Amino acid sequence: MASGSSAVRPWRIGVLFSATGVTAAVETSQLGGTLLAIDEINEAGGVLGRPVEAVVYDPASEPRAYRRLAERLLTEDGVRLIFGGYMSSTRKAMLPVVEAHRGLLFYPTLYEGFEYSRHCVYTGAAPNQNSIQLANYLLSTCGNRFFMIGSDYVYPYESNRIMTDFVVQSRGTVLDEIYVPLGAGPAEFDRVMAKVQRAAPDVIFSTVVGADTATLYEAHHAAGLDAATLPIASLTTGEAEVAAMPAEVAAGHITAAPFFETLDTPAARRFVAAFKRRNGVHMPVTAAAEAAYFQVHLAMRALAAAGTDAPEPLLAQLGESAFDAPQGRVRIDGTNNHTYLRPRIARLDARGRFRVVWDAGAPVKPDPYCVAQSLSDWPADGRQIALS
């Protein structure tokens, strides 16, 4: 699968998003955002008069496949830049290969932070751009007794550790922390919900990912729990996951992200309309898709300025450029290869659509190691939004 003309030698980039497997729904949206950006760039004349061509593979949500295909892109396909990955386990599988072959990975997914690679550009939210804001919101509106449920891989463990730190800062309590295998069935989540009912928390913090998300929320609903009094709050539940569950199952639950499909700004509306024209009206537009979209534009602007797709000159230019993304203006912090992003918190309405209830009001400098973060930083900086 490729995008671009063969009339002149194209800039070839690698694209690794899963069309199959447990995280296929959200990764398909990331692929859609990536290819939309490439289409826009090529329609505008390409980069330095050369089209951009995507070399696309399906890693099927398997870390070993990501590693193998990243090596194939870098050694056989003549690619220097790779755009892809959702689960942290897939990023960690690709990075040693990308570093060994001196390539550059653009990773458009929120993650657990506490990582830096000269060969990776992180365009999803770091913990200081979603976790701390969500913790503050939940502690002030829901209560301080948390129950944590996650998928059994690296991101949920680390994300829950960070959230626990923020909860404890505010003298809150984590009542229990449970992990379920990827692909767990309804019976597994029914057992978890029985433990939730016994613990009687104020809020459930979920780091369950992919197709398992709908199973978790359906178990919550089937147990007779009410999102108005015991919501599931998550960083990993977006439009792709919500599309897999009935609206009444989704209603009332909470997510933090820099972008939602329902953002009512001219830039967001244009992006959503273009995304759906290209990928179909029923394709969810996720925060991960938005990051996948704007990172291509940022990368190609840097490539145009550098005159080459060699990672080092391109990285030097990345730190000097910005882009008016659908969420607002974004740019890369050249000191840590992470991105300035605008945190938002939204609650799902009765139709299963995200409605923003809190907005930071401006991009937040990425601090992937959370060295200068406090819950008290946020109440005055953000703004509460009343649901109509």
Side-chain angles (χ1 to χ4, degrees):
M1 181 176 179
S3 172
S5 167
S6 59
V8 295
R9 186 164 61 89
W11 301 101
R12 303 190 92 202
I13 63 171
V15 177
L16 294 179
F17 292 115
S18 299
T20 55
V22 68
T23 53
V26 66
E27 294 197 53
T28 300
S29 80
Q30 290 177 298
L31 177 62
T34 300
L35 296 180
L36 172 61
I38 293 171
D39 287 350
E40 291 177 349
I41 291 164
N42 287 339
E43 288 167 7
V47 181
L48 302 177
R50 294 165 56 182
V52 179
E53 179 182 85
V55 183
V56 183
Y57 296 117
D58 173 15
S61 308
E62 291 289 340
R64 285 178 293 183
Y66 272 92
R67 182 185 181 97
R68 174 175 51 81
L69 291 170
E71 185 151 24
R72 177 175 173 180
L73 286 166
L74 293 163
T75 61
E76 299 178 24
D77 294 321
V79 161
R80 287 171 157 174
L81 311 178
I82 296 176
F83 297 77
Y86 182 76
M87 289 188 288
S88 284
S89 54
T90 65
R91 182 190 73 257
K92 288 181 178 295
M94 288 187 283
L95 267 180
V97 173
V98 174
E99 290 170 344
H101 294 286
R102 299 187 179 278
L104 186 60
L105 172 65
F106 288 81
Y107 178 68
T109 307
L110 76 152
Y111 88 115
E112 65 278 5
F114 294 86
E115 181 179 288
Y116 168 80
S117 171
R118 180 69 178 168
H119 297 269
C120 187
V121 177
Y122 306 79
T123 58
N128 79 302
Q129 297 167 318
N130 57 13
S131 295
I132 192 168
Q133 293 84 7
L134 182 59
N136 191 72
Y137 180 82
L138 297 174
L139 288 161
S140 64
T141 61
C142 298
N144 66 358
R145 291 162 51 83
F146 281 56
F147 194 108
M148 297 187 173
I149 307 170
S151 297
D152 190 10
Y153 76 103
V154 62
Y155 169 77
Y157 284 98
E158 288 300 301
S159 183
N160 285 341
R161 178 184 63 79
I162 293 164
M163 183 60 74
T164 297
D165 288 345
F166 293 144
V167 170
V168 171
Q169 271 188 38
S170 192
R171 298 185 179 180
T173 303
V174 175
L175 302 175
D176 205 345
E177 189 174 334
I178 294 176
Y179 296 91
V180 295
L182 290 167
E188 184 76 30
F189 285 104
D190 288 342
R191 285 192 288 271
V192 172
M193 282 302 140
K195 293 181 179 180
V196 169
Q197 289 175 299
R198 289 194 294 272
D202 298 316
V203 63
I204 298 167
F205 178 60
S206 168
T207 46
V208 173
V209 302
D212 294 338
T213 305
T215 311
L216 166 66
Y217 285 57
E218 286 163 1
H220 177 281
H221 186 73
L225 300 172
D226 185 351
T229 55
L230 179 54
I232 299 173
S234 179
L235 305 172
T236 54
T237 301
E239 288 83 351
E241 291 78 17
V242 171
M245 61 183 87
E248 64 271 18
V249 169
H253 297 299
I254 301 166
T255 294
F259 177 85
F260 295 96
E261 182 177 316
T262 50
L263 281 185
D264 192 21
T265 65
R269 290 195 299 268
R270 284 193 299 270
F271 169 63
V272 169
F275 184 97
K276 289 182 177 290
R277 279 196 303 272
R278 190 200 186 281
N279 300 299
V281 295
H282 299 297
M283 175 74 74
V285 191
T286 65
E290 191 250 1
Y293 168 82
F294 77 66
Q295 72 175 13
V296 175
H297 277 287
L298 274 174
M300 294 303 106
R301 286 188 176 193
L303 192 158
T308 175
D309 61 357
E312 285 301 324
L314 194 147
L315 276 171
Q317 293 298 326
L318 267 177
E320 302 296 323
S321 62
F323 180 68
D324 289 322
Q327 68 175 267
R329 196 161 182 81
V330 298
R331 67 182 178 90
I332 305 299
D333 186 333
T335 66
N336 59 30
N337 283 8
H338 289 67
T339 309
Y340 281 74
L341 301 171
R342 181 167 170 167
R344 293 176 169 97
I345 296 171
R347 199 153 196 166
L348 287 153
D349 66 15
R351 294 193 297 156
R353 291 171 60 81
F354 284 108
R355 300 298 177 188
V356 173
V357 295
W358 185 93
D359 188 324
V364 170
K365 177 181 171 65
D367 179 13
Y369 292 93
C370 293
V371 296
Q373 306 300 319
S374 169
L375 287 174
S376 61
D377 294 341
W378 288 101
D381 293 349
R383 52 190 177 90
Q384 202 93 354
I385 300 170
L387 282 174
S388 57

